[in-house]
Amino acid sequence: VILLAPPHSLLGKCAAVGYAICHRIPERSFHLAGRQMPLCARCTGTYLGALTGLVTMWVLGNRRASNLPPTGVIILLMGFIASMGVDGLNSYLSFFPGAPHLYEPSNLLRLTTGTLNGLALSIIVLPVFNFTLWREVNPRRSIRNFRELAVAVALAAVMVLTVQAGLDFLLYPLAIASTLGVLVMLTAINTMIILIVTRRENMAETWLDAFLPLSLGLLATLAEIGGMDLLRLALTQQLGLPF
């Protein structure tokens, strides 16, 4: 039903996902082929970074990892998350004329710090998700050392350069990928919540066993997105609030 509901175009549906979770300020978003990306520069980076991290861990054979990275890697990941916080605060202060800020914000910085944040989040969330879902957990770390982290960062850098290039033919691939990042991350989190609330943790042995909780997690995600879209629409159109 949700897939058949308006907007009916693919980009329209991607924009609807962005409308639920992102401010989508045009000046703080990338535009390709004359169309605004579904998410702002920072959110685009966050969810493309998260997707890049998940793909990297899958390729490295860490997809069932249930342990966090070593302490040194964790500290660096916390730095990635903090960098987005600092840049976000600096960018927010620039809204107010005369307010002090450390440097001139830009969409490239928003994209870069967002990508590092998303990469860090995926590396932290994946082992927690696996530990919650699977009956037999793999003691492997999601990222085992700085070398593996360097691979993930290099791929994330390629993603940043790809978005920044502004190539029109990449509108659909990047819009779909960033939207997929939103759905994957929210579905993972909602699936964990459902498993914990229903006390069904550590029950799945195969992907077939995981199908039901993942489906429920996806449905919860779609319901949340639809609800936030309707709430934002009501606040903007009915109450005239500038969201």
Side-chain angles (χ1 to χ4, degrees), residues 88-197:
L89 178 60
N90 182 76
S91 182
Y92 179 73
L93 289 174
S94 69
F95 270 125
F96 306 98
H101 51 278
L102 296 174
Y103 52 85
E104 192 63 29
S106 70
N107 281 343
L108 177 57
L109 282 173
R110 296 181 182 107
L111 175 67
T112 301
T113 57
T115 300
L116 291 174
N117 174 65
L119 186 67
L121 292 177
S122 67
I123 293 171
I124 293 169
V125 167
L126 179 67
V128 180
F129 171 79
N130 283 331
F131 188 80
T132 305
L133 177 64
W134 302 110
R135 181 186 296 273
E136 294 185 8
V137 296
N138 188 328
R140 199 178 182 107
R141 296 181 185 274
S142 55
I143 289 292
R144 292 175 292 176
N145 47 52
F146 284 106
R147 181 177 299 177
E148 289 191 350
L149 180 61
V151 172
V153 171
L155 293 175
V158 171
M159 187 65 73
V160 168
L161 293 174
T162 300
V163 176
Q164 176 68 16
L167 301 176
D168 289 346
F169 71 91
L170 292 176
L171 171 62
Y172 275 87
L174 291 175
I176 293 170
S178 58
T179 303
L180 183 60
V182 174
L183 297 178
V184 169
M185 291 298 287
L186 292 183
T187 295
I189 293 170
N190 281 324
T191 298
M192 288 190 288
I193 293 173
I194 290 170
L195 288 172
I196 293 170
V197 169

